[in-house]
Amino acid sequence: MSAGERLTDALYGLGWGAVKRLPEPAAVRLGRAIADLAWKQRGKGVQRLESNYARVVPDATPERLAELSRAGMRSYLRYWMESFRLPAWSPERVRAGFEPKDLHFLTDGLAAGRGVVLALPHLANWDLAGAWVTTGLEIPFTTVAERLKPESLYDRFVAYREGLGMEVLPHSGGSAFGTLARRLRDGGLVCLVADRDLSASGVEVTFFGETARMPAGPALLAQQTGALLLPVTLWYDDSPVMRGRVHAPIEVPESGTRTERTSVMTQALADAFATGIAEHPEDWHMLQRLWLGDLDPARCPAGGAA
């Protein structure tokens, strides 16, 4: 492990070890202070966040984009402060921390014996939503985690999410898809963050008027298992309670090749994500490149925002 990796792991360990012991008002103030400091420093992540918001709110002035990026960093740090503290929350606190709309799409699907795939973008706090499902609804589910470096950091994330009641599979290794399919055929629940996939297997979609790639997995799982595919969007308001919406099912097209059906379904998923992101852009924590135009060296000069 390199010195940088050891430092990263130590900082995350400090967060999970120290922040969860803070009184909630103190954690909120700390998160906001860190967010404002990061925003003022105008690092690559903040610049990229602003650039992404410019696609979401194309008529925004530079002043409006600056306001959005500041609010976005505060939302992002709220996610981290909540996530560091979630393992110490009581079941009552978890249940009180999230209020979703149109939950019947999920509960009716599971009651009918169908598996359900919940697909989410990087909006608000998807870990809190997951903890609410396992605690409030008492429904276990399976998810996938990207392998991080150092390996010890990945292990921390897996232990953290498993501690919240989730079954966590590694993204790499090739066996995750088969395990997810088995869970769905057994009538289970799978939850996937699905708004960014820069691999060769990503499906091209039109997203806020430009081309991006999103993962094929949610659509393929729904096709192969008969599971419902439900988009979910999340947001914060001025209260301590996170809000959310379960969107109507994305149907499998009756005709077309598997590739064509996957493309249609993934575009429908992108459209649902775009609806939620447009309503609450400051809660979309996309501090990385997403659109293919930003990955083109001719349009992304050396030294540009990551």
Side-chain angles (χ1 to χ4, degrees):
M1 187 189 302
S2 69
E5 289 174 341
R6 285 195 298 271
L7 177 60
T8 298
D9 183 58
L11 289 173
Y12 278 100
L14 178 64
W16 271 300
V19 172
K20 70 180 179 182
R21 292 194 290 269
L22 289 174
E24 191 154 343
V28 170
R29 290 193 298 270
L30 176 61
R32 179 162 290 201
I34 295 171
D36 288 349
L37 178 61
W39 178 77
K40 289 176 182 177
Q41 290 179 337
R42 302 279 306 164
K44 288 185 176 181
V46 173
Q47 293 178 51
R48 176 52 51 193
L49 187 66
E50 239 172 66
S51 175
N52 290 339
Y53 287 160
R55 296 259 193 8
V56 176
V57 190
D59 58 347
T61 63
E63 293 77 16
R64 172 60 177 149
L65 286 175
E67 291 173 0
L68 273 177
S69 66
R70 184 175 189 178
M73 290 304 295
R74 287 181 170 183
S75 176
Y76 185 49
L77 264 294
R78 176 173 172 176
Y79 159 77
W80 278 112
M81 292 295 116
E82 287 178 348
S83 295
F84 286 143
R85 292 173 53 75
L86 263 176
W89 281 13
S90 68
E92 292 75 21
R93 177 67 181 88
V94 173
R95 286 192 287 267
F98 180 43
E99 289 187 1
K101 299 178 180 179
D102 297 325
L103 189 63
H104 64 91
F105 289 124
L106 168 61
T107 54
D108 290 353
L110 292 174
R114 297 182 67 175
V116 174
V117 180
L118 295 180
L120 307 87
H122 286 81
L123 272 170
N125 192 337
W126 47 96
D127 283 329
L128 172 55
W132 186 88
V133 168
T134 59
T135 303
L137 298 181
E138 298 183 346
I139 296 173
F141 68 87
T142 305
T143 188
V144 174
E146 181 182 358
R147 283 202 174 276
L148 303 171
K149 291 184 178 181
E151 190 75 15
S152 56
L153 179 58
Y154 170 77
D155 292 341
R156 285 185 188 273
F157 271 98
V158 170
Y160 156 64
R161 290 184 171 130
E162 288 179 341
L164 298 176
M166 311 174 193
E167 179 187 21
V168 183
L169 307 176
H171 184 270
S172 59
S175 62
F177 188 91
T179 302
L180 295 174
R182 286 193 295 274
R183 300 290 183 269
L184 292 168
R185 291 191 181 101
D186 289 340
L189 175 62
V190 165
C191 299
L192 301 171
V193 179
D195 57 345
R196 184 175 187 260
D197 184 353
L198 302 182
S199 71
S201 62
V203 177
E204 291 194 3
V205 296
T206 300
F207 194 53
F208 291 102
E210 294 193 39
T211 303
R213 284 199 194 109
M214 293 187 181
L220 288 173
L221 285 166
Q223 290 178 64
Q224 293 194 17
T225 68
L228 284 178
L229 174 55
L230 302 176
V232 176
T233 53
L234 309 170
W235 66 92
Y236 291 127
D237 57 18
D238 293 330
S239 78
V241 180
M242 184 176 71
R243 315 295 175 176
R245 176 181 295 111
V246 182
H247 296 250
I250 293 175
E251 303 294 342
V252 177
E254 295 182 359
S255 62
T257 65
R258 186 176 74 166
T259 298
E260 290 168 343
R261 292 195 300 268
T262 300
S263 178
V264 169
M265 294 174 72
T266 306
Q267 181 63 62
L269 198 62
D271 292 343
F273 290 169
T275 297
I277 293 167
E279 291 174 351
H280 304 280
E282 68 279 4
D283 291 323
W284 189 41
H285 307 152
M286 186 55 65
L287 281 73
Q288 301 85 25
R289 293 182 176 125
L290 175 72
W291 282 274
L292 299 193
D294 290 335
L295 301 172
D296 181 352
R299 293 182 57 186
C300 188

